[in-house]
């Protein structure tokens, strides 16, 4: 018989599965970072520092540590206390904040790539930066209100609209970035194919 009067599969089970997946993905990211430094040594120093220091060490590893500590809090420190699930530990709140930083950095990076591909002015990047900064600010506001709220139930009742707004803005940014990248990468590949065919026909015409 379970010691906890709760559904462990839908609470601790979900947290455990999520932590296992994110630890696996962290390992994949570390391998990708190693391959990046060994294969793209001619990239700018700013990009290298961004990848290693800010993105990998401070953000991803910090996010994983916070997630693991939150799981440890539920399964060890608060073991047998079902009331613990009514609130997030401080490490869980920190993980949400770090996740917001990661998303902001990634979105701005890809927005800059779109600006380069599409040959837009710098105002395109500024607009994306403002929207991403607004989303991050709303995320911080949601986390602050979560800390001030006594339980998750009270937080959801009072600030559900804020959480939905943050998720909608994030989805809008992600979808627009994906659409732009898909269009420009497909357009660039099509132009390369046309250019290759033109060179081939020119070469065969000269040979004949």
């Amino acid at each position: 018989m379970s010691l906890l009067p709760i559904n462990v599969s839908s609470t601790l089970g979900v947290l455990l599965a999520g932590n296992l997946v994110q630890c696996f993905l962290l390992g994949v990211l570390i391998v990708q970072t190693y391959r990046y430094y060994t294969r793209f040594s001619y990239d700018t120093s700013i990009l290298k520092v961004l990848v290693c220091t800010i993105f990998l060490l401070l953000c991803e590893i910090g996010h994983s540590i916070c997630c693991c500590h939150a799981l440890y809090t539920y399964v060890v420190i608060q073991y047998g206390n079902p009331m613990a699930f009514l609130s997030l530990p401080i490490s869980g709140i920190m993980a949400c904040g770090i996740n917001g930083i990661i998303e902001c950095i990634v979105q701005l990076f890809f927005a800059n790539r779109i600006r380069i591909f599409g040959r837009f002015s710098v105002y395109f990047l500024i607009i994306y930066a403002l929207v991403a900064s607004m989303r991050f600010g709303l995320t911080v506001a949601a986390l602050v209100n979560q800390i001030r709220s006594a339980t998750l139930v009270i937080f959801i009742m009072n600030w559900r609209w804020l959480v939905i707004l943050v998720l909608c803005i994030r989805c809008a940014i992600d979808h627009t970035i994906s659409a732009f990248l898909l269009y420009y990468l497909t357009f660039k590949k099509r132009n390369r194919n046309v250019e290759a065919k033109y060179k081939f026909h020119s070469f065969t015409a000269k040979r004949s």
Side-chain angles (χ1 to χ4, degrees):
M1 183 176 179
S2 176
L3 296 177
L4 296 177
I6 57 174
N7 189 345
V8 180
S9 298
S10 62
T11 53
L12 294 179
V14 174
L15 291 175
L16 178 61
N19 271 272
L20 292 176
V21 172
Q22 69 94 17
C23 287
F24 169 77
L25 294 178
L26 177 63
V28 174
L29 180 61
I30 293 174
V31 174
Q32 288 180 332
T33 304
Y34 172 77
R35 289 177 61 86
Y36 165 75
Y37 279 101
T38 55
R39 299 183 62 182
F40 301 96
S41 58
Y42 295 102
D43 278 353
T44 61
S45 300
I46 297 177
L47 187 57
K48 291 180 180 179
V49 171
L50 179 67
V51 170
C52 181
T53 306
I54 300 178
F55 188 64
L56 178 61
L57 296 181
L58 298 182
C59 292
E60 288 294 344
I61 294 180
H63 180 264
S64 298
I65 292 174
C66 290
C67 289
C68 292
H69 181 269
L71 178 63
Y72 181 83
T73 300
Y74 284 126
V75 300
V76 178
I77 299 177
Q78 297 292 339
Y79 178 75
N81 180 20
M83 299 299 294
F85 292 96
L86 295 178
S87 61
L88 282 176
I90 190 63
S91 55
I93 297 175
M94 291 177 61
C96 295
I98 295 175
N99 184 64
I101 296 175
I102 295 173
E103 290 179 352
C104 189
I105 294 174
V106 172
Q107 288 170 350
L108 290 179
F109 173 79
F110 282 112
N112 186 54
R113 302 306 297 174
I114 293 172
R115 182 187 65 84
I116 295 174
F117 287 150
R119 298 179 180 178
F120 295 117
S121 65
V122 71
Y123 295 106
F124 177 85
L125 183 60
I126 292 176
I127 293 174
Y128 260 98
L130 291 176
V131 176
S133 300
M134 180 181 67
R135 185 201 60 79
F136 179 71
L138 293 175
T139 302
V140 173
L143 294 177
V144 170
N145 286 295
Q146 163 59 31
I147 295 174
R148 293 179 177 178
S149 300
T151 62
L152 281 173
V153 177
I154 297 176
F155 169 73
I156 293 174
M157 290 177 58
N158 295 332
W159 300 99
R160 182 178 180 181
W161 64 270
L162 182 58
V163 176
I164 294 176
L165 179 61
V166 171
L167 294 177
C168 289
I169 295 176
R170 182 173 66 179
C171 290
I173 296 175
D174 289 340
H175 281 79
T176 52
I177 287 178
S178 300
F180 271 116
L181 287 175
L182 180 63
Y183 171 77
Y184 282 113
L185 291 176
T186 305
F187 181 75
K188 191 173 183 180
K189 183 178 180 181
R190 188 184 307 159
N191 286 344
R192 285 182 178 178
N193 293 334
V194 172
E195 184 179 355
K197 290 181 180 179
Y198 175 77
K199 290 182 178 180
F200 175 76
H201 289 306
S202 299
F203 176 76
T204 53
K206 290 180 181 179
R207 291 292 298 271
S208 61

